[in-house]
Amino acid sequence: MKKQVSLSKEYAKGLWDQNPVFKQVLGMCPTLAVTVSAMNGIAMALATTFVLVFSSFIISLIRKLIPSQVRIASYIVIIATFVTIVDLVMRAQFPDLSKALGPYIPLIVVNCVILGRQEAFAAKNNPLRSVLDALGMGTGFMLALASLGGIREIIGSRTLLGMQVLPDAFEPWLVMILPAGAFLTLGLMMGFLNSLVERRKRRDEAAVLAQHMRTPAAAMLEGQEG
Amino acid sequence: MELILIFLSAALVNNFVLAYFLGICPFIGVSNKLSSAFPMGLATTFVMVLTAIVTWLIYHLILVPYHVEYLEYVSFILVVAALVQFVEMVIKKVSQPLYRALGIFLPLITTNCAILGLALFIVLKDYSFVESLFFGVGAGTGFTLAISIMAGIREELDLADIPKSFRGAPITLIVAGLLALAFMGFAGMITV
């Protein structure tokens, strides 16, 4: 039996280490499509998290009952059921939001993040861990969507969450709210985050290296002086 | 004329990948080499056309008459999953190397949002049977076109000197953004 990671780590890994968008590059379609504004991104992430948490819970409960040949089909039916619930609730309660997100709400069914978590995690772990994992992934997804939506909204329409943040003198970049802007922004964001991570890694490596190198090098220097 | 417009609009103006962001996973995942990207596009097109036919029939002959439209998503996704299984078996039988090249991305056509998106758009836009067929063929052509162009560009990109942190997904997304910009040029052509 391999060592169990702590419950808090089970949640936290989705935030950054295994962030579904930035690290695993999953769930790209909704990420790119709905992030015209921060609000849309957050709503989309909330809907996705809801479906993810509940389907993880159900699937981890019945994971031993599902024959492995038909597991993918069973997962998808369970996910589709929860998506139908979300869609109907949103249509009744938030008609504007539902219209803005359009066909991307039903498309949560085929969001690879959800199916990926079921296959990689919920099918092998107990309900508590699966729910924590799902919550973590959902939060990570929300972080990605909210930041991407925020950046696109600020530059593309001068607002953030509907409030104007840039002065009128700033000419909005129309391209940011068009499809091309989504690809460009996400690509640049990922590259930038990668370079941050790499720089930190290099610094850590240099520090370790320096520590190891000092003794012989210092000895050599002293030897030369002597 | 109407039908040609639907075809062109789905293939170029409202390209599924570059304008609706459907099918991004295979678009990024399988676009390394032209030799696997093009067959992937064809397989997806094939599934799309079949999906267009079958889901139209199911929606208009079963779901609507019995007033169970809320089963839309569940039934559509099952149809797609079955069709993908079918295509997988055919490819495995016909061409082993291709089967291995496509690998995990073949079963993942099931979770290719372009397929389910197609089914949903057909219901949303209330297309007739023939219109759905043209829409399916157009969407598939658009997908094949986009993924093939992308693969061609990425083969060249392998030789380029890209900053280390931008290699892989980031540069692919940026290239996709430029492609999307290029495809915006079609926007004035047809208004649908």
Side-chain angles (χ1 to χ4, degrees):
Chain A
M1 185 83 194
K2 75 171 198 272
K3 214 177 121 213
Q4 292 274 20
V5 280
S6 76
L7 292 176
S8 62
K9 273 213 186 100
E10 211 74 88
Y11 171 76
K13 69 175 189 285
L15 300 186
W16 175 246
D17 286 340
Q18 297 186 22
N19 186 294
V21 175
F22 294 126
K23 292 291 166 133
Q24 305 189 47
V25 201
L26 291 176
M28 285 290 118
C29 313
T31 308
L32 293 164
V34 301
T35 50
V36 184
S37 70
M39 196 58 228
N40 281 1
I42 292 170
M44 185 69 201
L46 278 179
T48 309
T49 310
F50 173 85
V51 176
L52 182 56
V53 169
F54 279 90
S55 37
S56 280
F57 180 66
I58 299 286
I59 286 167
S60 65
L61 271 184
I62 60 168
R63 67 186 190 277
K64 287 176 186 142
L65 299 177
I66 306 177
S68 68
Q69 292 91 338
V70 293
R71 64 182 194 287
I72 303 286
S74 341
Y75 297 166
I76 285 197
V77 173
I78 292 170
I79 296 170
T81 312
F82 282 110
V83 171
T84 311
I85 296 173
V86 170
D87 186 46
L88 293 178
V89 169
M90 280 188 76
R91 250 189 254 172
Q93 299 292 328
F94 313 101
D96 293 340
L97 211 52
S98 170
K99 206 168 278 170
L101 296 177
Y104 295 101
I105 288 289
L107 283 174
I108 296 177
V109 177
V110 286
N111 188 327
C112 351
V113 175
I114 298 183
L115 195 65
R117 285 335 280 171
Q118 311 312 334
E119 177 76 0
F121 201 90
K124 299 177 193 133
N125 288 279
N126 66 33
L128 177 64
R129 276 173 191 280
S130 305
V131 167
L132 281 174
D133 173 76
L135 274 175
M137 288 296 157
T139 319
F141 194 59
M142 161 117 51
L143 283 178
L145 261 68
S147 53
L148 184 59
I151 292 177
R152 286 181 69 192
E153 193 182 348
I154 291 174
I155 308 182
S157 42
R158 288 194 297 234
T159 58
L160 183 61
L161 293 169
M163 283 174 299
Q164 187 160 354
V165 287
L166 287 179
D168 282 335
F170 181 82
E171 187 66 37
W173 301 7
L174 193 59
V175 69
M176 291 301 272
I177 51 174
L178 292 173
F183 283 115
L184 292 174
T185 316
L186 186 63
L188 290 175
M189 267 171 87
M190 274 167 117
F192 182 64
L193 288 173
N194 277 352
S195 71
L196 277 186
V197 170
E198 238 159 61
R199 190 178 300 166
R200 192 162 14 146
K201 207 162 66 190
R202 252 205 315 270
R203 209 166 46 212
D204 289 351
E205 267 169 16
V208 171
L209 216 61
Q211 217 162 30
H212 280 275
M213 292 294 284
R214 198 161 57 222
T215 7
M220 224 157 72
L221 275 177
E222 278 161 19
Q224 273 175 352
E225 275 167 15
Chain B
M1 193 59 209
E2 187 79 356
L3 293 176
I4 297 170
L5 275 185
I6 287 178
F7 172 81
L8 282 179
S9 139
L12 296 175
V13 183
N14 295 319
N15 187 289
F16 263 44
V17 179
L18 297 169
Y20 286 151
F21 308 104
L22 298 172
I24 302 287
C25 295
F27 180 65
I28 291 174
V30 202
S31 60
N32 287 325
K33 282 189 309 240
L34 197 56
S35 58
S36 55
F38 187 64
M40 181 69 188
L42 289 187
T44 310
T45 308
F46 183 63
V47 177
M48 273 180 161
V49 176
L50 287 180
T51 308
I53 297 172
V54 178
T55 51
W56 192 91
L57 291 176
I58 287 190
Y59 189 76
H60 288 275
L61 299 184
I62 300 177
L63 296 185
V64 172
Y66 291 100
H67 302 293
V68 286
E69 286 98 335
Y70 59 86
L71 287 180
E72 199 183 319
Y73 312 150
V74 180
S75 50
F76 284 3
I77 194 71
L78 281 178
V79 168
V80 174
L83 285 174
V84 170
Q85 194 74 52
F86 172 66
V87 170
E88 195 183 342
M89 285 190 298
V90 170
I91 292 188
K92 198 175 178 182
K93 208 83 185 158
V94 173
S95 161
Q96 276 288 334
L98 182 59
Y99 179 74
R100 256 173 311 203
L102 295 179
I104 179 71
F105 287 99
L106 200 54
L108 280 183
I109 298 182
T110 312
T111 49
N112 183 340
C113 2
I115 312 276
L116 189 66
L118 178 88
L120 294 170
F121 273 120
I122 286 175
V123 172
L124 209 66
K125 296 190 175 176
D126 208 12
Y127 279 145
S128 74
F129 182 72
V130 184
E131 283 172 337
S132 312
L133 199 58
F134 273 79
F135 187 58
V137 177
T141 313
F143 182 79
T144 313
L145 190 65
I147 198 171
S148 305
I149 296 177
M150 192 65 192
I153 297 178
R154 280 185 74 179
E155 279 181 359
E156 298 292 316
L157 268 185
D158 283 346
L159 306 171
D161 183 24
I162 302 160
K164 199 175 158 211
S165 44
F166 274 87
R167 275 178 213 165
I171 192 71
T172 312
L173 284 168
I174 293 171
V175 170
L178 297 177
L179 260 183
L181 273 179
F183 267 69
M184 270 165 59
F186 292 115
M189 221 166 74
I190 317 166
T191 42
V192 181

